[in-house]
Amino acid sequence: MKNTIESCLHCPVGCKSFRYLTSGEMDFVNDNRYEALFRPGEILVKQGSPSSNALFLFSGLSKTYVENNGSKNMILGIDKPGELILGQGAFTEMRNNFSVAAITSVKACFIGFDVFRHLIRSNGAFAESLLEEMSMKSQLIQNRMVSLAHKKMPGRIAEALLYLSDSIFGSHSFEMILSRQELGDMTNMAKECVVRILREMEESGVIKSDSSGIRILDSDKLRMILEKG
Amino acid sequence: MKNTIESCLHCPVGCKSFRYLTSGEMDFVNDNRYEALFRPGEILVKQGSPSSNALFLFSGLSKTYVENNGSKNMILGIDKPGELILGQGAFTEMRNNFSVAAITSVKACFIGFDVFRHLIRSNGAFAESLLEEMSMKSQLIQNRMVSLAHKKMPGRIAEALLYLSDSIFGSHSFEMILSRQELGDMTNMAKECVVRILREMEESGVIKSDSSGIRILDSDKLRMILEKG
DNA sequence: AGCAACTGATGATATATATCAATATATTAC
DNA sequence: GTAATATATTGATATATATCATCAGTTGCT
């Protein structure tokens, strides 16, 4: 497919670390990217496959998840425009250690990892910024692990809802892009339990769970549920 | 305290990423390190404190753990000589997002993070190696999270025992440096449950749990318990 | 329109795991 | 060496959560 975005230099979305590149380096990236369009449900990155590319999410939403034993998935997070999807595997065994699937329609740029390798070596500020990005993701995973381990179901659901509200949509009211099953995959709960907790939260007036959306009514209470575990 | 190790250049332990430094850069590190000795139980790194230093573990063993609500800890892993303890917080909010405590007597070198920052910017190969090290740790945490979420108690204990055997001691028979409580903090189990599972494994001839040590008798069976969950 | 497949919802039941209470054993202190 | 303190062990019980069975909507397909 021909690239439709004019140039990285004028990319309206923009990746944080790319800010540290010179315009020459930007051109280098631009010459080595490949746009792709994905329909909802399609796989952008498959766990286990060689991680030869980073993926820059231009538009749409995707989910990053780990496939465990064929059946059980664990959703690590939702990716929104501007996200640089660059698995840790790229720096270790060159295999993707998670899958990524489109939730909505997605436009993304593939950028060869050799491009990154080159930029890391030649541009220290870029390398440092990349370390920062990777560190932030690693911290998120670590925090998630502790939450899953120590918090009970209501706390975990609260965390997921606040994650969607704060980090993804930036709004107290958002479209529910995840099925109950997927919310369960994110909070390590059976889908039936997700349903029950959401109902309880609705009954106690913390949220309003509309047909296809969620509205956080009492954000303080929700945050308290998160804290108390 | 005066440094007792002659020079990083001839450090018998050696940190992986430091291999990419020139001898001049090595001298720079050497001039900016501070040795410290810790007794068992002493804190090397405190969660929440400013992360102004990396820590190079020269000798001894320590545990890295997250403190949750005062009481509940989660042990992320054991650090052995050669380990570079450099929290993700160093690249983000400059706060340690975990604590580190000595298990045995520990000798370690503090290296200011500004030293790292400088080396990352000036030496691309070093930066890349650091990205690799951080990625590996991040992967470990991710795998741990999935295990904790999807595996049942026997599988989680098996994982912890194989981790100690394979990654820390490199032997089927090793001193049990963690209390049952700590093994529980690592596998997200109550200490009583740890005791029970270990007894069951001993009864079925998979391990021998001596007074202060563990011997893996049937490593295949243990690995099967790990796989089956 | 109508069948198939999926998602959501709900109650009943099963199970894994935590908590509690009590004792035994080891480790440290004086 | 004995008291004191921490850790290990064990059984009984409580609780959180998963699983099962069922039904009601929804969406998609032809």
Side-chain angles (χ1 to χ4, degrees):
Chain A
M1 195 191 74
K2 221 182 81 202
N3 285 349
T4 60
I5 302 164
E6 283 255 344
S7 157
C8 296
L9 214 51
H10 309 104
C11 180
V13 182
C15 159
K16 201 165 152 278
S17 292
F18 285 1
R19 281 204 302 252
Y20 295 93
L21 298 184
T22 65
S23 63
E25 288 169 331
M26 269 304 223
D27 285 343
F28 177 51
V29 171
N30 190 52
D31 292 344
N32 287 283
R33 73 185 170 87
Y34 301 90
E35 281 177 28
L37 276 170
F38 297 91
R39 311 183 146 275
E42 285 183 343
I43 303 285
L44 285 74
V45 174
K46 179 64 181 177
Q47 182 174 332
S49 69
S51 67
S52 44
N53 288 279
L55 203 56
F56 175 74
L57 201 68
F58 180 78
S59 65
L61 295 172
S62 63
K63 62 172 177 175
T64 297
Y65 60 104
V66 179
E67 305 180 47
N68 199 233
N69 303 318
S71 57
K72 282 219 169 187
N73 287 347
M74 157 138 276
I75 294 183
L76 297 178
I78 307 298
D79 314 297
K80 63 179 187 206
E83 185 88 30
L84 185 67
I85 300 171
L86 176 56
Q88 316 101 320
F91 295 99
T92 58
E93 2 113 284
M94 295 302 288
R95 287 172 161 279
N96 293 307
N97 61 342
F98 52 67
S99 292
V100 180
I103 296 178
T104 65
S105 289
V106 162
K107 184 187 273 193
C109 293
F110 284 94
I111 305 168
F113 186 61
D114 44 337
V115 172
F116 275 81
R117 204 170 278 275
H118 178 264
L119 292 172
I120 289 164
R121 284 174 176 265
S122 62
N123 184 333
F126 175 75
E128 193 178 342
S129 176
L130 219 52
L131 270 161
E132 188 182 321
E133 282 203 57
M134 305 273 301
S135 293
M136 267 165 48
K137 288 224 185 120
S138 174
Q139 262 181 320
L140 280 181
I141 296 179
Q142 180 177 308
N143 293 342
R144 178 77 57 84
M145 171 167 70
V146 174
S147 287
L148 289 187
H150 290 337
K151 286 191 206 301
K152 295 204 211 322
M153 294 197 298
R156 306 205 302 265
I157 285 284
E159 180 160 294
L161 293 180
L162 287 167
Y163 167 72
L164 290 170
S165 162
D166 293 347
S167 302
I168 304 304
F169 292 100
S171 163
H172 275 184
S173 156
F174 51 87
E175 195 193 348
M176 196 51 201
I177 49 171
L178 299 176
S179 69
R180 306 297 143 124
Q181 173 66 60
E182 288 175 316
L183 241 188
D185 288 345
M186 193 157 182
T187 53
N188 196 33
M189 294 167 51
K191 57 189 186 308
E192 293 93 332
C193 294
V194 173
V195 171
R196 275 185 263 269
I197 302 288
L198 284 178
R199 184 183 38 159
E200 277 170 35
M201 284 183 169
E202 179 146 27
E203 281 167 2
S204 60
V206 178
I207 63 168
K208 177 86 183 64
S209 177
D210 188 67
S211 64
S212 63
I214 296 263
R215 174 185 293 271
I216 297 175
L217 300 174
D218 191 340
S219 137
D220 289 346
K221 208 164 171 183
L222 193 57
R223 245 166 260 278
M224 223 166 72
I225 295 172
L226 168 66
E227 298 300 333
K228 297 262 275 181
Chain B
M1 196 192 72
K2 217 180 85 211
N3 286 350
T4 62
I5 303 165
E6 283 256 342
S7 157
C8 296
L9 213 50
H10 309 104
C11 181
V13 182
C15 159
K16 198 163 154 279
S17 293
F18 285 2
R19 282 206 300 253
Y20 295 93
L21 298 183
T22 65
S23 63
E25 287 169 331
M26 269 303 222
D27 284 343
F28 176 51
V29 171
N30 191 50
D31 293 343
N32 287 284
R33 75 187 168 86
Y34 302 90
E35 280 177 31
L37 276 170
F38 297 91
R39 312 182 145 275
E42 285 183 344
I43 302 284
L44 284 74
V45 173
K46 179 65 182 175
Q47 182 174 332
S49 69
S51 66
S52 44
N53 288 280
L55 202 57
F56 174 74
L57 202 66
F58 179 79
S59 66
L61 295 171
S62 63
K63 61 171 178 176
T64 297
Y65 60 103
V66 179
E67 307 180 47
N68 198 232
N69 303 317
S71 57
K72 284 220 171 189
N73 287 348
M74 157 138 277
I75 295 183
L76 298 179
I78 307 298
D79 314 297
K80 63 178 187 210
E83 185 88 30
L84 185 67
I85 300 169
L86 176 55
Q88 316 101 319
F91 295 98
T92 57
E93 1 112 283
M94 294 303 288
R95 287 173 162 277
N96 293 306
N97 62 341
F98 53 69
S99 292
V100 180
I103 296 177
T104 65
S105 289
V106 162
K107 184 187 271 191
C109 293
F110 286 94
I111 305 168
F113 185 62
D114 44 338
V115 172
F116 275 81
R117 205 170 278 276
H118 178 264
L119 292 174
I120 289 164
R121 284 174 176 264
S122 61
N123 184 332
F126 176 75
E128 194 179 341
S129 175
L130 219 53
L131 269 162
E132 189 183 319
E133 282 204 56
M134 305 273 301
S135 292
M136 268 165 49
K137 289 227 185 118
S138 175
Q139 261 180 319
L140 279 181
I141 296 179
Q142 181 178 305
N143 293 342
R144 177 77 58 83
M145 171 168 68
V146 174
S147 287
L148 289 187
H150 290 337
K151 287 189 206 302
K152 296 205 212 318
M153 293 199 296
R156 306 202 306 262
I157 286 284
E159 179 159 296
L161 294 181
L162 286 167
Y163 167 71
L164 290 171
S165 163
D166 293 347
S167 302
I168 304 305
F169 292 101
S171 162
H172 276 184
S173 156
F174 51 87
E175 196 193 348
M176 196 50 202
I177 50 171
L178 299 175
S179 70
R180 305 298 143 124
Q181 173 67 59
E182 287 174 316
L183 241 188
D185 288 344
M186 193 157 180
T187 53
N188 196 33
M189 295 166 51
K191 56 187 185 308
E192 294 92 333
C193 294
V194 174
V195 170
R196 277 185 261 268
I197 302 289
L198 284 178
R199 183 183 38 157
E200 278 169 34
M201 285 183 169
E202 179 146 27
E203 281 167 2
S204 60
V206 179
I207 62 168
K208 177 86 183 66
S209 177
D210 186 67
S211 65
S212 63
I214 296 263
R215 173 185 294 269
I216 297 175
L217 300 175
D218 191 341
S219 141
D220 291 345
K221 208 163 169 182
L222 194 57
R223 244 166 261 279
M224 223 166 72
I225 295 173
L226 168 66
E227 298 300 333
K228 297 261 278 184

